C-alpha cells in the first residue's frame, strides 16, 4: 500500500473520529457520559463548555468540518455532515435554553415570593450616578472585569496570610456614606482549591454596577487544613465585614451570602449557624448573622452518599477534608451538613442548581429545599435550571446573566421587606 493511500485512509478515519468526538460532546452535555470516577471530571468540563457556549462550539465544529470536507470521499463527507447536522440541532437547543433561562428563574421567584413581587431593585438603595445593569460579561470581558470593580484588594481579615484575605468590589463612584447592601461571596473548589478571583464575576459585577458592595474571600484549604477550619475562616471574614464594611460604604445590617459548590455548602452553613460557638473559636461573641443566602449547586447533606453524592466525594471528605472515617465519626459529618441546622429562624434562601449537574446531584438541592420549606418561616426560592451543568454561572454566559438578574430580584424583595419592617417598627 502506497504512502498516498495510507494518508488518504488516515484522513478519512481521522475526520470520522473528530466528527464522532464532537457529536459525543453534544450528547454528553445532554446526558453526562460519566458520573463516577475521574472521567466524570472530563465529562463535566466538556459538558460545561458546550452548554454555556453552544454557538461557539457549533462554529468550531462546522468550521473545522468545512475546512477538511473537500478532501474526504463523498460517503465519508456525507456521513460527517449528517452527524454534524444532528449535533448542530442539539447545540441550537442549548443556545435556546441558555437565552431563555429567565423563564424558569422567574417562575421560581413567583412561586417562592409571590407574583406580586418586585420586578427589580429600582429605588431601594442609593445607586451611583449612571449605574445600571452591567453588561453580560462574556468570556473576553471576564479577563478585565476584576479590574473594573475590585478597587480594594488583598485585605487581611485573619492571621493565616494569603488564605485570610478578601477583595471588595464596588463602583469607584459609590457613595461612601450610602450604606450599600453587601454580597459576601465564598469560592468553591471541593474545599481543596479555589480563589476569591475567578468565580461569581457575572453576579458580583451586576450587583456592584447597581450600587452593591461585594466581598470575595479566600479561606484555608485542605489537605493542609482540616475541617472545620474552612467554615471558621468564613465566619471570621464575616465578622470582619460586620465590623469594617461601613468604612467602604457598606451596610453591615444587610449582608447576603453566596457561593458555588463548596462555596454553596459554606454559605448555607454560615447562614444557618449564626453566632454558633463551635464554628467561632476565639471570637464567640462576634455577630455573624446574615439577612439572606443564595447558594449555587451546593452540597447540603454530608450523610447522603448512596443517592445524592458523587462517588468520589466520600473518599475526598474522609481522606482530605474531615480526615476521619464517616462510620466512626458520623456526628462530625452531621454537624458539617447545612440541612442539619435548618430552623424556623433561617434567613431567606434562594437555591440554584443545574438539572444536569454531574458533580453534585440535583437531589442534594431538592432535599435541602424541601427541609427549608418545611421548617423555615422565611421565603425559600428554588430554581432548577434545565440542561445546566455544575458551575454554570462562572463563564459569563447568557444563563449566568439571567441568574444574576434573578438574584438581584430576589434580594430586592428581601431588602424591601426588611426595610419596610424596620420603618414600621
Amino acid at each position: 500500500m502506497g504512502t498516498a493511500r495510507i494518508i488518504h485512509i488516515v484522513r478519512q478515519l481521522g475526520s470520522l473520529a473528530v466528527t464522532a468526538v464532537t457529536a459525543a460532546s453534544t450528547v454528553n452535555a445532554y446526558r453526562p457520559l460519566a458520573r463516577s470516577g475521574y472521567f466524570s471530571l472530563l465529562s463535566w468540563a466538556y459538558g460545561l463548555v458546550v452548554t454555556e457556549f453552544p454557538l461557539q462550539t457549533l462554529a468550531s465544529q462546522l468550521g473545522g468540518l468545512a475546512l477538511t470536507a473537500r478532501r474526504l470521499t463523498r460517503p465519508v463527507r456525507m456521513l460527517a455532515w449528517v452527524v454534524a447536522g444532528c449535533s448542530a440541532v442539539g447545540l441550537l437547543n442549548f443556545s435556546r435554553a441558555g437565552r431563555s433561562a429567565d423563564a424558569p428563574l422567574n417562575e421560581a421567584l413567583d412561586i417562592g415570593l409571590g407574583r406580586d413581587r418586585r420586578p427589580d431593585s429600582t429605588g431601594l438603595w442609593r445607586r451611583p450616578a449612571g449605574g445600571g445593569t452591567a453588561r453580560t460579561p462574556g468570556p473576553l470581558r471576564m479577563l478585565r472585569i476584576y479590574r473594573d470593580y475590585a478597587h480594594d484588594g488583598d485585605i487581611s481579615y485573619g492571621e493565616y496570610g494569603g488564605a485570610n484575605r478578601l477583595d471588595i468590589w464596588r463602583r469607584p463612584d459609590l457613595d461612601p456614606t450610602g450604606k450599600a447592601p453587601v454580597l459576601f461571596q465564598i469560592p468553591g473548589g471541593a474545599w481543596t482549591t479555589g480563589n476569591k478571583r475567578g468565580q461569581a464575576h457575572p453576579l458580583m459585577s451586576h450587583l456592584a454596577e447597581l450600587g452593591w458592595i461585594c466581598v470575595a474571600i479566600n479561606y484555608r484549604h485542605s489537605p493542609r487544613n482540616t475541617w472545620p477550619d474552612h467554615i471558621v475562616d468564613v465566619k471570621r471574614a464575616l465578622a470582619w465585614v460586620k465590623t469594617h464594611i461601613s468604612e467602604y460604604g457598606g451596610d453591615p445590617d444587610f449582608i447576603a451570602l453566596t457561593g458555588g459548590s463548596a462555596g454553596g455548602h459554606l454559605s448555607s452553613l454560615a447562614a444557618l449557624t449564626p453566632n454558633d460557638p463551635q464554628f467561632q473559636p476565639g471570637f464567640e461573641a462576634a455577630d455573624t448573622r446574615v439577612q439572606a443566602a443564595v447558594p449555587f449547586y451546593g452540597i447540603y447533606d454530608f450523610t447522603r452518599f448512596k443517592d445524592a453524592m458523587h462517588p468520589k466525594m466520600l473518599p475526598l471528605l474522609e481522606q482530605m477534608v474531615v480526615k476521619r472515617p464517616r462510620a466512626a465519626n458520623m456526628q462530625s459529618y452531621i454537624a458539617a451538613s447545612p440541612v442539619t441546622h435548618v430552623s424556623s429562624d433561617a434567613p431567606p434562601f434562594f437555591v440554584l442548581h443545574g438539572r444536569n449537574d454531574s458533580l453534585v446531584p440535583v437531589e442534594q438541592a431538592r432535599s435541602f429545599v424541601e427541609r427549608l420549606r418545611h421548617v423555615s418561616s422565611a421565603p425559600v426560592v428554588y430554581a432548577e435550571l434545565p440542561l445546566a451543568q455544575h458551575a454554570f454561572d462562572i463563564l459569563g454566559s447568557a444563563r449566568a446573566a439571567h441568574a444574576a438578574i434573578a438574584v438581584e430580584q430576589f434580594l430586592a424583595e428581601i431588602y424591601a421587606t426588611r426595610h419596610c419592617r424596620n420603618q414600621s417598627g
Side-chain angles (χ1 to χ4, degrees), residues 224-274:
R224 176 174 295 182
N225 301 283
T226 304
W227 181 266
D229 290 347
H230 320 69
I231 187 64
V232 170
D233 281 0
V234 169
K235 293 277 195 167
R236 192 181 302 277
L238 185 54
W240 185 96
V241 168
K242 285 273 193 174
T243 302
H244 296 283
I245 202 62
S246 60
E247 301 166 16
Y248 299 86
D251 183 0
D253 293 325
F254 193 89
I255 299 175
L257 301 186
T258 190
S261 196
H265 162 259
L266 291 168
S267 61
S268 299
L269 185 61
L272 293 169
T273 57

Side-chain angles (χ1 to χ4, degrees), residues 78-201:
M78 292 296 294
L79 178 59
W81 278 113
V82 168
V83 173
C86 294
S87 179
V89 172
L91 291 170
L92 290 173
N93 189 45
F94 280 126
S95 177
R96 179 202 58 78
R99 287 184 287 106
S100 61
D102 57 327
L105 288 164
N106 284 327
E107 181 181 5
L109 290 167
D110 288 343
I111 292 172
L113 300 177
R115 295 191 179 276
D116 58 344
R117 63 182 176 85
R118 296 181 63 92
D120 55 45
S121 59
T122 302
L124 286 179
W125 50 78
R126 191 180 304 176
R127 294 190 181 187
T133 301
R135 293 171 294 168
T136 302
L140 295 180
R141 188 166 181 258
M142 289 282 288
L143 299 176
R144 58 163 292 170
I145 204 168
Y146 177 85
R147 185 177 60 186
D148 290 345
Y149 295 101
H151 300 291
D152 301 283
D154 286 327
I155 299 170
S156 176
Y157 70 82
E159 60 184 289
Y160 294 100
N164 281 181
R165 295 189 184 276
L166 57 82
D167 294 338
I168 296 177
W169 288 43
R170 57 181 175 81
R171 278 179 57 111
D173 55 350
L174 183 72
D175 184 352
T177 65
K179 297 192 70 175
V182 179
L183 183 78
F184 185 99
Q185 154 67 17
I186 306 167
W191 306 276
T192 62
T193 185
N195 190 275
K196 55 188 171 63
R197 302 185 185 184
Q199 297 186 32
H201 284 190

Side-chain angles (χ1 to χ4, degrees), residues 28-35 40-52 94 297 353-360 385-393 399:
N28 172 72
Y30 274 98
R31 184 177 293 275
L33 300 178
R35 289 185 178 270
S40 64
L41 299 178
L42 189 62
S43 175
W44 159 71
Y46 272 105
L48 176 63
V49 172
V50 170
T51 53
E52 298 310 309
F94 280 126
Y297 40 85
H353 213 103
R355 192 171 297 163
N356 279 20
D357 196 317
S358 57
L359 297 186
V360 178
L385 299 178
L387 302 179
Q389 252 291 0
H390 196 75
F392 64 82
D393 64 313
R399 184 182 282 109

Side-chain angles (χ1 to χ4, degrees), residues 12-13 15-20 22-23 65 69 72-87:
Q12 309 303 304
L13 294 176
S15 178
L16 287 176
V18 171
T19 301
T22 56
L65 183 56
L72 304 177
T73 62
R74 190 171 187 276
V76 172
R77 184 167 61 249
M78 292 296 294
L79 178 59
W81 278 113
V82 168
V83 173
C86 294
S87 179

Side-chain angles (χ1 to χ4, degrees), residues 11 14 26 37 49 90 105 119 155 207 217 244 272 275 287-288 292 318 324 330 341-342 346-347 356 389 399:
R11 182 178 292 141
T26 303
V49 172
L105 288 164
I155 299 170
L207 291 181
I217 73 164
H244 296 283
L272 293 169
N275 308 333
D287 181 11
T288 55
E318 289 187 325
R324 283 177 284 183
M330 182 59 76
H341 302 277
V342 173
N356 279 20
Q389 252 291 0
R399 184 182 282 109

